[in-house]
Amino acid sequence: MKIQNFQETDFLKTVDKIKNIGKKLKPDLFIIYMPYYYFENENFEKISLALNTPHIIISSVATIKDSNILYDSIGGIAVKFEKKGYFDIKSIDFISKNISESSSFLKKNLILEEEGTNLLFSTSSNLAVHKILNSILNFYTDKIRLYGGIASSDAPDFRTYISVNGRLIKDGFVLLNLYNISSFNTISLGFIPVGTTYRITKAKDNKIYALDGLPMDYFLRNILKNTGIEVEELDPSKTSRILWEFPFLFYDEEGYISHLLVPMMYDKDDKGFAFYGEVKEGSLVKLSTGDSDDILQDVQIRAGEFLKILNETGTKPDIIMNITCTARNFLLYSDGVSKKEQEIYSSKIGDFPFTGFLTFGEIGPDRMGKPGKFYNETSILVGLKEK
């Protein structure tokens, strides 16, 4: 693949750049990330008209190009296939209303690893997406390559958008089948488990009501000691400021970390503690903590793993995509090191083009390689190479 990555803060300059790339490269596909508000004004039509090529646009609070992460920007890649590569785009809307149909849609349209790689981009319908992915996790073995992310925004209600060739999607996902494109990945967590392991004894959808038979507010009051915040005050805003650095680690029955989820809010009406993803009764969980140093140390390790894959296989990726969590980057931003994650990846892995965006959830394989795991506060690094 021939790749042209780009990143701009000025909208009109972005439109001009897209037009110039279209004339010079004559790409087969554009993947673009931009702030949510451009989907809500006349600029959405302007950028759609500038794209005479099949395209996917995803809302995001920040974009990644090479060693740089830039907030409130427009970025992405233009893709020109040079060998056997080609693609297909499929999409579905209103996934929250019909989980079963959406699961069947995904099962039907995923391609096998021998055929290529799947990229899945979704609006911020986290609970629906997590349920859909859980339904396929045990359906497939490791013969599927599936990566992706949930669109993000800094809107007060966290609304997000995706568009496919000018058609707006508000509650759905887009599946990009990349035929004859091989892929490989690493996943960075960077959070350290602390304290006791608990079993979820009461839960529904994305809410936990009890751990080991004790109500959630009992645990939350202990966590919030000395913060000046009452449990009942944990709306999405206060939760992000206080508890995003304490995600819950979920364990499988063998004792391995399965994934982690970020707290969303406390529902004072039903006394449930909500997360950005589905939680299930019987799951084993443990509180975790991490600061910028922990995250960046893990990034160093995962960058080394990625480089080892390149060296051992002799692979030179056409593009490397960093699908990285907004909550994770919020912690880095708060500590004044918002650029460090991408700088480490770029400097350690080498002179390859990077692209990526900040997400409300990440999609990748589990520790055994099964596709369809839903993550929070992770960075999933994906290398793509045309066969």
Side-chain angles (χ1 to χ4, degrees), residues 304-366:
E305 284 183 357
F306 197 89
L307 184 60
K308 185 179 179 181
I309 294 171
L310 301 189
N311 292 336
E312 289 183 350
T313 61
T315 302
K316 294 184 177 180
D318 297 320
I319 184 70
I320 302 173
M321 179 176 284
N322 184 10
I323 303 165
T324 182
C325 183
T326 300
R328 173 192 183 90
N329 282 272
F330 176 80
L331 298 181
L332 296 175
Y333 184 89
S334 299
D335 288 341
V337 288
S338 62
K339 297 180 181 296
K340 290 298 291 183
E341 177 182 274
Q342 192 55 36
E343 287 175 353
I344 291 169
Y345 280 142
S346 182
S347 64
K348 190 156 187 174
I349 293 171
D351 189 22
F352 299 103
F354 281 81
T355 189
F357 66 107
L358 265 60
T359 71
F360 278 166
E362 305 76 56
I363 300 166
D366 68 5

Side-chain angles (χ1 to χ4, degrees), residues 27 54 83 90 92-93 100 115 117 140 274 294 301 311 316 345 366:
K83 299 176 182 177
K90 302 179 180 73
I92 185 170
D93 209 346
S100 177
E115 298 175 278
T117 298
Y140 288 106
D294 295 321
I301 294 170
N311 292 336
K316 294 184 177 180
Y345 280 142
D366 68 5

Side-chain angles (χ1 to χ4, degrees), residues 29-287:
L29 172 70
F30 274 96
I31 302 175
I32 296 173
Y33 334 107
M34 70 181 188
Y36 81 95
Y37 48 81
Y38 285 130
F39 289 85
E40 300 179 344
N41 57 34
E42 68 278 1
N43 288 323
F44 176 65
E45 185 176 357
K46 288 179 182 178
I47 198 168
S48 297
L49 291 173
L51 291 159
N52 295 319
T53 302
H55 59 273
I56 300 168
I57 309 179
I58 306 152
S59 67
S60 183
V61 298
T63 70
I64 291 166
K65 177 181 180 287
D66 298 332
S67 64
N68 193 38
I69 180 170
L70 195 58
Y71 284 80
D72 208 31
S73 65
I74 306 173
I77 54 172
V79 180
K80 178 73 174 178
F81 297 106
E82 296 184 296
K83 299 176 182 177
K84 298 180 180 179
Y86 65 100
F87 72 95
D88 191 15
I89 301 174
K90 302 179 180 73
S91 62
I92 185 170
D93 209 346
F94 309 111
I95 59 174
S96 298
K97 294 181 179 179
N98 198 327
I99 303 295
S100 177
E101 181 181 324
S102 301
S103 298
S104 298
F105 175 89
L106 193 57
K107 290 176 183 177
K108 178 182 177 182
N109 291 299
L110 287 172
I111 60 174
L112 296 173
E113 182 179 359
E114 62 188 31
E115 298 175 278
T117 298
N118 305 276
L119 296 180
L120 185 67
F121 306 113
S122 171
T123 56
S124 58
S125 315
N126 291 50
L127 178 59
V129 174
H130 200 175
K131 284 184 174 182
I132 292 164
L133 291 172
N134 277 339
S135 75
I136 71 163
L137 186 61
N138 294 319
F139 183 81
Y140 288 106
T141 62
D142 57 356
K143 302 301 183 185
I144 297 282
R145 290 284 179 176
L146 173 62
Y147 310 100
I150 310 299
S152 64
S153 85
D154 54 6
D157 62 354
F158 301 120
R159 63 188 179 276
T160 61
Y161 303 96
I162 292 178
S163 72
V164 178
N165 300 330
R167 182 175 66 86
L168 202 60
I169 296 173
K170 298 181 180 180
D171 176 33
F173 57 70
V174 177
L175 178 63
L176 176 61
N177 302 131
L178 293 171
Y179 289 91
N180 296 317
I181 304 298
S182 61
S183 57
F184 48 92
N185 75 280
T186 59
I187 300 177
S188 172
L189 296 176
F191 288 85
I192 301 168
V194 295
T196 305
T197 300
Y198 299 98
R199 190 173 294 277
I200 300 174
T201 48
K202 185 178 180 182
K204 183 179 181 182
D205 293 333
N206 65 331
K207 291 180 182 179
I208 298 177
Y209 295 93
L211 297 175
D212 285 351
L214 296 172
M216 272 306 299
D217 55 8
Y218 168 81
F219 295 94
L220 292 172
R221 292 190 200 285
N222 287 324
I223 295 171
L224 294 172
K225 278 182 180 177
N226 304 318
T227 65
I229 303 292
E230 296 296 326
V231 173
E232 291 76 16
E233 298 178 87
L234 286 175
D235 60 12
S237 177
K238 284 189 174 67
T239 302
S240 67
R241 293 204 312 269
I242 304 297
L243 294 178
W244 273 10
E245 59 185 289
F246 301 106
F248 275 44
L249 290 175
F250 286 72
Y251 288 77
D252 59 26
E253 292 296 335
E254 287 76 35
Y256 293 97
I257 295 174
S258 167
H259 62 288
L260 56 79
L261 289 179
V262 177
M264 178 192 294
M265 62 174 289
Y266 178 77
D267 189 331
K268 58 185 177 182
D269 292 327
D270 68 3
K271 302 187 184 304
F273 192 41
F275 289 78
Y276 287 99
E278 185 182 23
V279 294
K280 292 186 175 182
E281 285 186 7
S283 299
L284 296 170
V285 296
K286 181 178 283 192
L287 197 66

